[in-house]
């Protein structure tokens, strides 16, 4: 790790996909850090990110780009060995953004942990509970460093304001219930979770983890984790029960239009010009034909943008069509080959997907009464009974534009991705502003529900234009960098900086991931999971084993 200085921290991006580019851009635009190197096996993607954010108009040097994360690990071991021997070496990196595919997170973080770098790991932490906890154990084996996870919903201006109004200002009193919806978007779901990498729980993980783990984290952040300025002794209000229901309702063979016949690929399908899920219509007509080559087109073929710029629309279209035409035969193509990659031209009704396209999760909390004997003061959130309902649905016009209702003892809040509307039941505004002074009247008003209006206030938090997740990408990046600067500048200890800037520890991450795994167990078993019992059976043994041996493996 580079020695603490007053210079900007140097960051490594591992994975030059959409997420890696988002964090690289946010790092540069924040002015708080320097993107020093990139790791990416696809040369075009690696050079594209590097040219934008690392070496710019210069030629890359060997320490600025790596084909594989293992290559960087070997390089860093040698660099430190040479440095210890007094040899001149390039400067190291202070922090890392881990943006590889989900199942590699555990391996990359474990390999980086001995270097003492600050780490931001994209969500989810891992694809199973054991690996999540093992990651925590591994990090605890070495001197503590700043650790962040890509739960970007915590860091958008919108959600920070919502939590402030809810838990600090208490604008609707004690929270009783939340209904939170993630509308994934009809074609977006088909891209990522029917044709894409996250389509099958056996090769990736359930959609509740890969797509919505930060929605579950959002709910626990609102209802479980103590609010800002709580006493250091404040404990989280953990759930009492979790249940879930969901399935694949649309994207299955029984729903395939008869007109499509035996076609398994959109490019050879007789209804490719009319089917709403036609890959040609989605990737070409919706995007490339309009000159748009970023996500999702770049996911299908990362070189389309370059081809469009250098060879023109016709060649770009042909390259896209060639990628979409790639298909497999379930009788002759090895299963390993089918599972090893996305198939973006595959018929959505003939794919090997099994993740839910419609799922609900219900989380309940019991009352936790205060104890006069222990002189316990109630937390601002109340520790009262409450319920959270989460709904992930694929078939929506809105795309990841989350929305919800929060019901409290003195009012209610409606929020979408732009506004926060607070209805205050304690303040009424009479329509005619003339009070009824006839206290002896026994005649009720003709419309008692219209006699008064509830006081309503609408908040419109500023949403950054270039940042995804309502500014959450930029917010997380900035807070991660500020924490690094505070720690490496000797202004704060790691734990203090973790709380001050990130407001989230790895223990919080483990809890929200555990809630996802508990919900999946409830869905598959068609049962209600008792949180304390489930935690004692599934999590505590792993934690205790790791504490005893230093690792859970």
């Amino acid at each position: 790790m580079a020695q603490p200085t007053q210079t900007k921290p140097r960051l490594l991006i591992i994975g030059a996909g959409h997420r890696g580019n988002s964090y690289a851009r946010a790092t540069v635009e924040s002015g708080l850090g320097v993107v020093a190197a990139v790791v990416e096996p696809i040369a075009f993607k690696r050079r594209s990110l590097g040219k934008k954010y690392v070496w710019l108009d210069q030629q890359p040097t060997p320490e600025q780009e790596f084909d594989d994360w293992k290559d960087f690990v070997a390089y860093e071991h040698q660099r430190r060995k040479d440095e210890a021997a007094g040899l001149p070496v390039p400067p190291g990196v202070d922090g890392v953004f881990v943006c590889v595919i989900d199942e590699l997170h555990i391996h990359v973080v474990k390999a980086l942990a001995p270097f003492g770098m600050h780490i931001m790991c994209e969500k989810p932490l891992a694809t199973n509970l054991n690996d999540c906890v093992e990651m925590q154990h591994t990090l605890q084996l070495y001197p503590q460093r700043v650790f962040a996870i890509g739960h970007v919903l915590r860091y958008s201006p919108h959600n920070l304001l919502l939590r402030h109004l809810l838990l600090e200002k208490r604008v609707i009193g004690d929270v009783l219930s939340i209904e939170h919806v993630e509308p994934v978007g009809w074609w977006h779901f088909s891209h990522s979770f029917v044709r894409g990498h996250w389509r099958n729980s056996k090769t990736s993980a359930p959609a509740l983890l890969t797509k919505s783990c930060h929605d579950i984290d959002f709910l626990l952040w609102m209802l479980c984790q103590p609010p800002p300025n709580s006493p250091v002794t404040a404990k989280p209000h953990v759930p009492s029960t979790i249940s879930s229901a969901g399935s694949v309702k649309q994207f299955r063979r029984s729903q395939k239009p008869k007109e499509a016949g035996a076609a398994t690929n959109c490019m050879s399908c007789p209804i490719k010009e009319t089917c709403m899920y036609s890959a040609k219509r989605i990737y070409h007509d919706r995007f490339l034909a309009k000159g748009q080559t970023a996500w999702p087109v770049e996911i299908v073929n990362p070189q389309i943008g370059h081809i469009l710029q250098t060879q023109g629309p016709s060649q770009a279209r042909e390259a896209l069509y060639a990628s979409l035409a790639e298909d497999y035969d379930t009788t002759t193509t090895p299963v390993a080959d089918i599972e090893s990659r996305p198939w973006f031209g595959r018929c959505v009704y003939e794919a090997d997907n099994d993740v839910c396209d419609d799922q609900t999760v219900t989380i309940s909390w019991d009352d936790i009464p205060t104890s006069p004997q222990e002189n316990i003061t109630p937390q601002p959130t109340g520790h009262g009974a409450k319920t959270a309902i989460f709904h992930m649905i694929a078939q929506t016009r809105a795309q990841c534009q989350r929305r919800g209702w929060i019901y409290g003892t003195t009012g209610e809040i409606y929020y979408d991705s732009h506004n926060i509307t607070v209805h205050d039941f304690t303040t009424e505004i009479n329509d005619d502003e003339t009070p009824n002074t006839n206290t002896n009247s026994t005649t009720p008003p003709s419309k008692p529900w219209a006699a008064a209006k509830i006081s309503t206030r609408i908040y419109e938090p500023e949403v950054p234009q270039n940042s995804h997740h309502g500014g959450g990408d930029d917010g997380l990046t900035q807070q991660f960098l500020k924490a690094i600067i505070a720690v490496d500048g000797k202004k704060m200890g790691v734990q203090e900086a973790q709380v001050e800037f990130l407001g989230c520890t790895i223990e919080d991450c483990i809890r929200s991931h555990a809630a996802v795994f508990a919900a999946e167990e409830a869905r598959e078993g068609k049962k209600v999971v008792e949180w304390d019992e489930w935690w004692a059976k599934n999590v505590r043994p792993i934690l205790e084993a790791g504490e005893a041996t230093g690792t859970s493996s």
Side-chain angles (χ1 to χ4, degrees):
M1 184 186 70
Q3 294 299 315
T5 67
Q6 296 302 311
T7 60
K8 297 177 182 179
R10 294 165 50 81
L11 282 304
L12 167 69
I13 307 291
I14 302 182
H18 180 67
R19 304 305 300 145
N21 272 272
S22 293
Y23 294 124
R25 176 199 56 76
T27 297
V28 171
E29 292 183 359
S30 73
L32 298 172
V34 175
V35 181
V38 58
V39 176
E40 169 58 52
I42 300 176
F44 180 83
K45 294 170 66 175
R46 183 176 69 249
R47 294 296 174 91
S48 177
L49 186 148
K51 186 174 178 59
K52 287 180 182 177
Y53 306 113
V54 184
W55 51 82
L56 306 178
D57 294 329
Q58 306 298 315
Q59 290 298 312
T61 54
E63 71 274 9
Q64 291 180 319
E65 63 168 342
F66 301 87
D67 291 345
D68 190 279
W69 62 270
K70 294 178 182 178
D71 295 338
F72 170 78
V73 170
Y75 160 82
E76 183 61 15
H77 275 299
Q78 186 62 47
R79 190 193 71 82
R80 294 187 177 207
K81 182 178 179 181
D82 292 344
E83 185 178 41
L87 300 175
V89 295
V93 296
D94 304 287
V96 185
F97 288 94
V98 178
C99 306
V100 293
I101 57 177
D102 303 341
E103 51 266 35
L104 289 181
H105 290 176
I106 178 68
H107 304 293
V108 176
V109 170
K110 288 180 67 175
L112 295 176
F115 292 134
M117 300 169 182
H118 307 286
I119 297 174
M120 199 301 295
C121 180
E122 183 51 39
K123 63 90 180 172
L125 281 179
T127 56
N128 62 73
L129 182 59
N130 280 47
D131 283 354
C132 289
V133 179
E134 182 173 348
M135 188 183 295
Q136 177 185 2
H137 290 324
T138 299
L139 293 171
Q140 291 173 339
L141 294 175
Y142 302 96
Q144 193 176 20
R145 310 303 291 164
V146 175
F147 182 85
I149 184 174
H151 282 159
V152 291
L153 297 185
R154 287 174 172 252
Y155 303 97
S156 73
H158 175 285
N159 291 339
L160 288 169
L161 175 59
L162 177 61
R163 191 168 191 261
H164 172 72
L165 293 171
L166 196 69
L167 302 185
E168 295 180 82
K169 302 294 287 185
R170 292 174 52 79
V171 295
I172 60 170
D174 290 329
V175 177
L176 302 176
S177 183
I178 291 183
E179 300 169 5
H180 178 71
V181 179
E182 182 182 11
V184 183
W186 61 275
W187 70 262
H188 175 208
F189 192 91
S190 73
H191 166 74
S192 296
F193 301 97
V194 181
R195 293 163 164 151
H197 178 75
W198 297 281
R199 66 188 185 271
N200 194 293
S201 58
K202 295 188 293 293
T203 57
S204 177
L208 188 65
L209 181 74
T210 59
K211 183 70 180 79
S212 301
C213 68
H214 54 178
D215 291 279
I216 299 299
D217 178 75
F218 167 84
L219 292 172
L220 297 189
W221 182 49
M222 291 288 177
L223 300 183
C224 177
Q225 190 174 332
N229 303 319
S230 296
V232 293
T233 55
K235 295 183 179 180
H237 186 189
V238 298
S240 56
T241 66
I242 297 180
S243 60
S244 180
S247 61
V248 184
K249 291 185 171 64
Q250 179 171 5
F251 300 105
R252 50 199 174 107
R253 185 169 295 170
S254 63
Q255 300 297 311
K256 183 179 181 180
K258 294 181 180 179
E259 297 82 0
T264 60
N265 184 276
C266 288
M267 302 309 292
S268 58
C269 180
I271 59 172
K272 67 180 179 182
E273 301 296 340
T274 57
C275 177
M276 62 185 287
Y277 289 106
S278 164
K280 173 187 177 297
R281 293 183 66 191
I282 290 175
Y283 299 109
H284 178 264
D285 299 356
R286 180 181 282 263
F287 291 101
L288 183 57
K290 299 175 182 178
Q292 300 175 24
T293 59
W295 185 92
V297 175
E298 66 183 359
I299 306 300
V300 178
N301 185 331
Q303 299 196 50
I304 293 295
H306 178 72
I307 294 173
L308 179 64
Q309 291 179 353
T310 59
Q311 301 179 42
S314 178
Q315 291 299 316
R317 181 181 65 249
E318 293 307 312
L320 175 65
Y321 285 177
S323 295
L324 295 177
E326 296 172 354
D327 199 6
Y328 58 83
D329 186 327
T330 55
T331 61
T332 59
T333 308
V335 173
D337 292 347
I338 296 173
E339 295 178 344
S340 67
R341 48 157 293 186
W343 301 86
F344 292 110
R346 184 76 177 180
C347 172
V348 296
Y349 305 103
E350 294 279 358
D352 63 335
N353 58 297
D354 69 352
V355 299
C356 297
D357 54 32
D358 178 20
Q359 183 170 2
T360 60
V361 177
T362 301
I363 309 174
S364 69
W365 285 258
D366 289 337
D367 283 311
I368 298 183
T370 58
S371 172
Q373 291 79 10
E374 298 179 10
N375 194 29
I376 298 175
T377 302
Q379 296 302 316
T381 50
H383 283 89
K386 52 203 172 189
T387 304
I389 299 174
F390 169 64
H391 186 196
M392 184 275 290
I393 177 68
Q395 296 82 0
T396 61
R397 178 181 61 86
Q399 181 177 305
C400 303
Q401 299 293 305
R402 293 166 172 86
R403 57 181 182 262
W405 285 93
I406 308 177
Y407 306 95
T409 53
T410 63
E412 65 182 14
I413 293 175
Y414 171 76
Y415 60 91
D416 55 25
S417 294
H418 303 285
N419 300 327
I420 301 169
T421 302
V422 179
H423 302 290
D424 183 358
F425 299 163
T426 65
T427 305
E428 293 184 343
I429 305 172
N430 290 329
D431 281 336
D432 57 6
E433 297 185 354
T434 302
N436 181 5
T437 59
N438 184 3
T439 58
N440 295 322
S441 174
T442 58
T443 304
S446 60
K447 295 182 179 180
W449 59 86
K453 292 181 178 179
I454 299 299
S455 174
T456 296
R457 182 171 180 180
I458 300 176
Y459 296 84
E460 300 178 355
E462 183 178 353
V463 178
Q465 294 299 312
N466 296 324
S467 179
H468 294 281
H469 300 100
D473 289 9
D474 283 24
L476 170 58
T477 302
Q478 291 169 19
Q479 296 304 101
F480 178 54
L481 294 174
K482 288 177 181 178
I484 293 175
I485 292 169
V487 171
D488 287 356
K490 304 297 184 181
K491 296 178 181 179
M492 286 185 181
V494 172
Q495 186 173 2
E496 183 183 3
Q498 188 88 31
V499 173
E500 174 70 20
F501 294 106
L502 292 168
C504 180
T505 65
I506 191 168
E507 289 80 10
D508 297 323
C509 300
I510 296 297
R511 186 183 303 111
S512 62
H513 279 65
V516 172
F517 294 118
E520 275 299 289
E521 182 176 315
R523 181 185 69 84
E524 293 177 349
K526 297 183 178 181
K527 63 183 181 180
V528 176
V529 167
E530 297 285 343
W531 176 262
D532 286 344
E533 294 179 7
W534 187 90
W535 184 273
K537 177 182 178 181
N538 295 280
V539 183
R540 190 175 299 152
I542 307 176
L543 292 171
E544 292 174 351
E547 292 170 357
T549 64
T551 177
S552 65
S553 59

